[in-house]
Amino acid sequence: MSLQVEKMEKNMAKLTIEVSAEDLDKAMEKAYQKQKNRITIPGFRKGKAPRKMIERMYGKGVFMEDAVNALVPEHYSKALEECDLEIVSQPEFSVTQMEPGKALIFTADVATKPEVTLGEYKGVEVPKADIAVTDEEVDAEVKKEQEKNSRTITVEDRAAAKDDIVTIDFEGFVDGDAFEGGKGTDYPLTLGSNTFIPGFEDQLIGANTGDHVEVNVTFPEEYQAKELAGKAAVFQCDVKKIEAKELPELDDDFAKDVSEFDTLAEYRENVKKTLTEKKEKEAETAKENAAIDKAIENAQMDIPELMIQTQCRQMMDDFGRRMQSQGLSMEQYFQFTGMTADKMMEDMKPQALKRIQTRLVLEKIAEVEDIQITEEETDAEIAKMAEAYKMEADKIKEILGDEQLEQLKKDLAVQKAVTVVAEAAKEV
């Protein structure tokens, strides 16, 4: 194998890789051995036809595609070991020569790690966050706890009102015909939750248990079921039950029930303390993010498009795994939302670019500041991982291996770089 490296504009490089004719022929022989049992040639038993006979009938390149598909990733990996580039994207391959008896030649266009020129990153100005907690915020938090401790009671002496839960049977019709997915039985609907089509819940306010209500609505133009989008519909609804939330009194007994405190005043004071701590953490994160944004803004770097595309694909893979953990495939997600893979990739580009810029700038700051990670710091991080996964620290090290341990140290150095930037930032 021979390798030529051509550095191009905007942190791109072209690797030209040549695989000998002998290696190509060996790969074609492998492909023949793999496929011969599936090929029938008149006059030969299945799987017994000589390679030359098959090539005479189907052409000399009959086994070429499989051979090339096997050789390209294998020799690209070897090329990565030979070249001294720091490649930060998936390759875009192009085969320029593939003929029996000749060398296989292919190219790989790749993005290389951009060089970062730092601007000001220490002492950047960031907005000062307000961490004061108001009485209204305390009231809202206490209200949430009150809602959590409410009980549901059946209402029989009045009509349905906003925030009530009505249990209904319903069936929807468009142009007089029932449509798929428009029917439900014993469905609990909270009025004012905006769960159903706009206007649906409003028309049930004022209904009594046992009432039949005809609800007239129009599906939104952007409704997910395209056959219903923008169409007028009539829902025949039977109100079977009305329930309301009964909230507990906000007094000392309530405080005792929901906390370790004896009085409502003490409980409220603790709520205020908790909200203050939360705001302080949020303010710290906001300061870090604002300071890093400034450092990125002051830095110079040229991010290749292929690097952004690779980051987008990684983000899509991560999203797909999260969906899968919830029992949903990407195909189902696209079907339910009307999203496409291309649209999602395009939408992810700004976030992908920001992630790349952030990482590159912080890595450069770690380098300039000569941030070193000690073995003790690495071991402490591994201990956290071991605790999280309920495993022995040595087992974690074994699973990670040398390459990923080095990556872990880089990640820790980047975290320290965040602290360097944030601590030096000026709040104004």
Side-chain angles (χ1 to χ4, degrees):
M1 185 196 83
S2 67
L3 168 67
Q4 290 182 345
V5 178
E6 179 187 357
K7 292 187 178 179
M8 302 165 73
E9 292 181 342
K10 294 189 175 180
N11 295 301
M12 293 293 294
K14 184 184 288 292
L15 311 183
T16 301
I17 300 161
E18 184 174 321
V19 182
S20 70
E22 182 185 356
D23 283 345
L24 177 58
D25 188 66
K26 285 179 182 176
M28 290 173 69
E29 176 64 23
K30 250 186 190 177
Y32 159 69
Q33 295 294 339
K34 187 178 177 182
Q35 294 183 41
K36 65 180 182 178
N37 290 329
R38 300 197 297 269
I39 299 174
T40 302
I41 297 288
F44 293 92
R45 282 184 298 153
K46 200 168 187 178
K48 298 298 182 182
R51 176 180 158 189
K52 286 185 178 178
M53 186 66 71
I54 296 172
E55 289 176 336
R56 191 176 301 158
M57 176 167 280
Y58 293 103
K60 286 190 175 181
V62 62
F63 301 113
M64 180 66 72
E65 186 177 345
D66 278 4
V68 170
N69 286 342
L71 289 171
V72 166
E74 176 191 342
H75 286 79
Y76 173 70
S77 295
K78 290 179 180 177
L80 292 186
E81 293 173 7
E82 283 188 26
C83 73
D84 58 358
L85 300 175
E86 190 169 355
I87 293 170
V88 291
S89 75
Q90 294 296 319
E92 287 189 347
F93 293 119
S94 179
V95 177
T96 57
Q97 178 175 293
M98 55 172 189
E99 295 178 40
K102 293 186 178 181
L104 167 69
I105 302 174
F106 67 94
T107 62
D109 289 334
V110 293
T112 59
K113 185 176 180 178
E115 185 58 41
V116 176
T117 303
L118 292 173
E120 184 183 25
Y121 65 88
K122 278 185 173 178
V124 296
E125 293 186 347
V126 298
K128 184 175 178 64
D130 181 10
I131 59 170
V133 175
T134 65
D135 288 341
E136 288 76 16
E137 288 171 315
V138 174
D139 290 342
E141 201 64 25
V142 172
K143 178 72 173 172
K144 283 183 194 174
E145 195 63 35
Q146 187 187 28
E147 291 275 355
K148 278 166 56 178
N149 286 272
S150 66
R151 66 190 185 100
T152 303
I153 59 169
T154 302
V155 173
E156 296 175 343
D157 57 350
R158 64 169 175 81
K162 188 176 179 295
D163 297 327
D164 284 348
I165 303 162
V166 293
T167 300
I168 57 172
D169 291 346
F170 64 88
E171 186 169 13
F173 299 84
V174 170
D175 297 329
D177 295 322
F179 56 86
E180 187 178 350
K183 188 174 183 178
T185 303
D186 290 332
Y187 189 94
L189 175 63
T190 301
L191 302 182
S193 64
N194 299 317
T195 306
F196 276 20
I197 307 159
F200 187 105
E201 294 163 27
D202 293 342
Q203 295 176 56
L204 291 173
I205 292 174
N208 288 285
T209 302
D211 282 358
H212 177 83
V213 181
E214 187 172 280
V215 173
N216 293 274
V217 291
T218 300
F219 284 98
E221 292 291 343
E222 66 279 4
Y223 193 66
Q224 59 195 21
K226 301 301 180 190
E227 68 277 9
L228 297 175
K231 291 192 175 178
V234 177
F235 283 85
Q236 302 296 340
C237 305
D238 290 311
V239 180
K240 302 174 79 173
K241 185 166 61 172
I242 302 171
E243 295 172 295
K245 284 183 180 177
E246 188 174 71
L247 301 176
E249 288 292 328
L250 292 179
D251 53 20
D252 291 347
D253 287 337
F254 170 77
K256 289 174 186 175
D257 287 340
V258 301
S259 73
E260 61 191 42
F261 300 99
D262 292 329
T263 68
L264 184 61
E266 289 174 315
Y267 171 62
R268 286 179 61 87
E269 193 58 38
N270 185 68
V271 168
K272 185 172 185 176
K273 179 186 172 188
T274 303
L275 287 175
T276 301
E277 290 170 353
K278 182 184 175 186
K279 278 197 172 188
E280 286 171 347
K281 285 180 182 176
E282 289 172 350
E284 185 180 339
T285 301
K287 181 183 176 183
E288 286 178 357
N289 291 339
I292 292 165
D293 285 347
K294 284 283 187 181
I296 292 170
E297 188 182 318
N298 295 336
Q300 292 180 346
M301 63 198 112
D302 197 354
I303 311 295
E305 179 64 23
L306 206 55
M307 187 179 185
I308 298 172
Q309 290 177 14
T310 298
Q311 180 68 50
C312 287
R313 278 194 288 270
Q314 290 172 356
M315 289 162 64
M316 276 195 69
D317 289 343
D318 290 343
F319 183 81
R321 281 190 286 272
R322 289 199 301 275
M323 287 293 101
Q324 196 169 23
S325 70
Q326 297 170 28
L328 202 65
S329 69
M330 284 298 284
E331 290 75 16
Q332 288 170 320
Y333 173 79
F334 290 145
Q335 182 183 350
F336 293 154
T337 61
M339 179 63 74
T340 65
D342 288 344
K343 177 71 166 58
M344 182 175 276
M345 283 277 286
E346 193 61 33
D347 290 349
M348 283 179 169
K349 275 189 175 182
Q351 187 184 353
L353 176 60
K354 182 68 178 292
R355 284 191 185 186
I356 292 166
Q357 291 172 325
T358 301
R359 181 74 187 196
L360 289 175
V361 166
L362 290 173
E363 283 182 354
K364 189 66 177 179
I365 290 170
E367 177 191 325
V368 169
E369 293 286 330
D370 193 26
I371 294 173
Q372 301 295 326
I373 302 301
T374 65
E375 288 303 318
E376 289 78 13
E377 288 171 320
T378 306
D379 288 343
E381 190 64 23
I382 288 171
K384 287 181 191 173
M385 294 170 67
E387 185 178 351
Y389 291 107
K390 308 297 181 192
M391 295 172 65
E392 294 294 326
D394 288 344
K395 188 65 178 174
I396 294 284
K397 277 187 179 180
E398 184 185 326
I399 292 170
L400 288 176
D402 292 339
E403 190 175 330
Q404 288 194 27
L405 279 172
E406 281 306 306
Q407 185 58 49
L408 176 62
K409 288 182 180 181
K410 283 185 181 178
D411 293 343
L412 292 173
V414 162
Q415 289 174 23
K416 280 193 171 185
V418 171
T419 304
V420 168
V421 176
E423 287 184 349
K426 298 174 185 174
E427 292 182 303
V428 294

